[in-house]
Amino acid sequence: MAGLKSIWQSEEAFRQECYVLLACTPLAFWITDNPFISAVLIASLLLVLLTEILNTAIEAAIDRIGPERNDLSRLAKDLGSLAVLVSCFMAGLLWIAAFIA
């Protein structure tokens, strides 16, 4: 629970993604009669949250090492952010496909 409290207080992106999850969960059941597809849509949004949590953990660990600039630290943070972006694209594609189908 301490981790949830910490990320909620410190990460605006996490809060926004939680709001999207809350808003889209009923929508997932409205756009399809197939409970499996609804579950996949909701899981895709949970994956975005999971990726954001891991990205925040990477950033915290890197920041703990020290404030000086380092190419490997920058790479770790950039790759964590890229993972969040890819998970958002994946969720978006699934939701678009569900709307089209």
Side-chain angles (χ1 to χ4, degrees), residues 25-83:
T25 296
L27 185 60
F29 292 102
W30 181 76
I31 63 173
T32 181
D33 293 335
N34 187 328
F36 179 77
I37 294 174
S38 295
V40 168
L41 293 174
I42 294 167
S44 72
L45 298 175
L46 289 170
L47 182 63
V48 172
L49 286 178
L50 175 63
T51 311
E52 186 68 51
I53 291 166
L54 293 173
N55 180 47
T56 301
I58 290 167
E59 290 177 352
I62 294 301
D63 290 345
R64 167 66 175 91
I65 292 170
E68 65 278 351
R69 292 201 168 262
N70 180 286
D71 287 340
L72 292 176
S73 295
R74 180 193 52 78
L75 179 61
K77 287 184 170 190
D78 288 349
L79 291 175
S81 295
L82 178 60

Side-chain angles (χ1 to χ4, degrees), residues 40 43-45 47-48 84-95:
V40 168
S44 72
L45 298 175
L47 182 63
V48 172
V84 174
L85 180 64
V86 169
S87 70
C88 288
F89 281 145
M90 184 199 69
L93 286 172
L94 288 170
W95 279 83

